[in-house]
Amino acid sequence: MTPSIFYLLIAAILAGMAGYLGMRSVQHGQRSSWTVVWMLMSFVAQCAVLGVRGELRGQCPLGDLGEIVVFLAWSMTIFYLLIGSTYRLSLLGVFSAPVVSMMLFVAAVPGVMEVSPERAINVEPWHETHAALSVLSYGALGLAAIAGVMFMVLNNKLKHHEMKSGLFLKLPPLSSITASMVRLTGVGTLVLSGGVFCGLLMPDKTAGGWAHLWAAVAVWVSYTLLLTIWQVRGMTPVRMAMSVVALFVVSLVVFVVL
């Protein structure tokens, strides 16, 4: 077993424990106070994975599907640790931890991550920054989508008057989830702006791929338009949550296809 796979499995298990123990706390009507700790330990292990892969490649580890998945999981984890504690949304980790764990386990599947990647000879800074910021932005946008799912779950329980379940009692107010969802969408769009800007400055667009660059531009325009409508014209929180989730899924599929 290579060091990167070892750290990857540790990170996946720790994230899985965060989700499992957090959900058990919810089922017993208790606040999940250890979720952040488990996610923090998983984050450290994820950093170890990316560090090892970066040393092997001699550049930002985004050279294969496995590395992209790990980088995306790392991005979601770091935004959870930064945003989740600020808004006291510990249950955001209960929803996001299983997603992160699943992504890390997928990256650990044999063949998904190259065992002996080719080391880069020439590193183009603008391309590296464009790729890193683009994937980093998807961490915030993915977490916003998870917040959108949380909103829809809680809203559905309110409609059906399911007031006594542990999940309902421990979920934050709708207004808090909405604020976090919008804030995460804004942060992700801002980071993506930097990624698009760096992509436009790449001296050799073919190295980064015109298709990926224009896909990033299209995603940036879509999220910017959504935030503008929310701020200027107004939109119901339900429609905003559905739009954030749908837009993330569609944009993710576009990048996978390309």
Side-chain angles (χ1 to χ4, degrees):
M1 181 183 298
T2 63
S4 57
I5 296 298
F6 173 76
Y7 291 128
L8 187 55
L9 291 175
I10 293 298
I13 292 171
L14 290 171
M17 287 295 295
Y20 171 71
L21 295 178
M23 191 58 68
R24 282 193 59 183
S25 297
V26 170
Q27 291 176 346
H28 289 84
Q30 301 172 355
R31 187 176 180 82
S32 176
S33 58
W34 284 94
T35 304
V36 175
V37 177
W38 285 102
M39 288 296 283
L40 181 60
M41 291 190 293
S42 176
F43 173 73
V44 173
Q46 292 168 42
C47 289
V49 176
L50 295 176
V52 171
R53 299 298 296 185
E55 286 293 325
L56 289 174
R57 287 196 178 274
Q59 62 180 12
C60 184
L62 289 170
D64 57 43
L65 178 60
E67 292 175 350
I68 293 174
V69 170
V70 175
F71 201 98
L72 181 57
W74 174 84
S75 176
M76 292 181 65
T77 304
I78 195 172
F79 279 115
Y80 160 70
L81 293 173
L82 292 175
I83 304 296
S85 59
T86 301
Y87 293 97
R88 301 182 184 277
L89 293 179
S90 62
L91 274 176
L92 191 55
V94 176
F95 277 71
S96 61
V99 177
V100 170
S101 179
M102 181 180 64
M103 293 170 64
L104 295 173
F105 274 121
V106 168
V109 173
V112 177
M113 185 179 291
E114 296 179 32
V115 177
S116 301
E118 182 179 353
R119 189 172 180 83
I121 300 176
N122 297 315
V123 178
E124 206 291 295
W126 290 117
H127 174 254
E128 292 290 294
T129 309
H130 160 69
L133 289 179
S134 297
V135 178
L136 185 64
S137 70
Y138 265 63
L141 297 175
L143 204 54
I146 293 175
V149 173
M150 287 180 63
F151 178 95
M152 289 186 285
V153 169
L154 181 55
N155 187 63
N156 182 67
K157 286 186 172 293
L158 283 169
K159 285 184 177 180
H160 292 84
H161 304 289
E162 297 177 12
M163 311 286 284
K164 297 181 180 180
S165 67
L167 181 62
F168 177 84
L169 293 174
K170 294 304 174 181
L171 276 174
L174 283 174
S175 58
S176 296
I177 300 177
T178 303
S180 296
M181 177 178 62
V182 174
R183 184 66 60 88
L184 283 164
T185 302
V187 170
T189 304
L190 181 62
V191 176
L192 184 58
S193 300
V196 170
F197 177 76
C198 293
L200 294 174
L201 293 178
M202 290 188 301
D204 183 9
K205 301 293 192 302
T206 57
W210 271 108
H212 283 94
L213 177 57
W214 285 115
V217 172
V219 171
W220 177 83
V221 170
S222 299
Y223 274 106
T224 301
L225 182 61
L226 178 62
L227 289 171
T228 301
I229 294 174
W230 170 264
Q231 294 292 340
V232 178
R233 294 187 56 187
M235 180 186 296
T236 64
V238 174
R239 182 167 295 181
M240 180 64 175
M242 294 177 62
S243 299
V244 168
V245 174
L247 188 54
F248 178 74
V249 172
V250 171
S251 61
L252 199 60
V253 169
V254 169
F255 272 102
V256 171
V257 171
L258 291 177

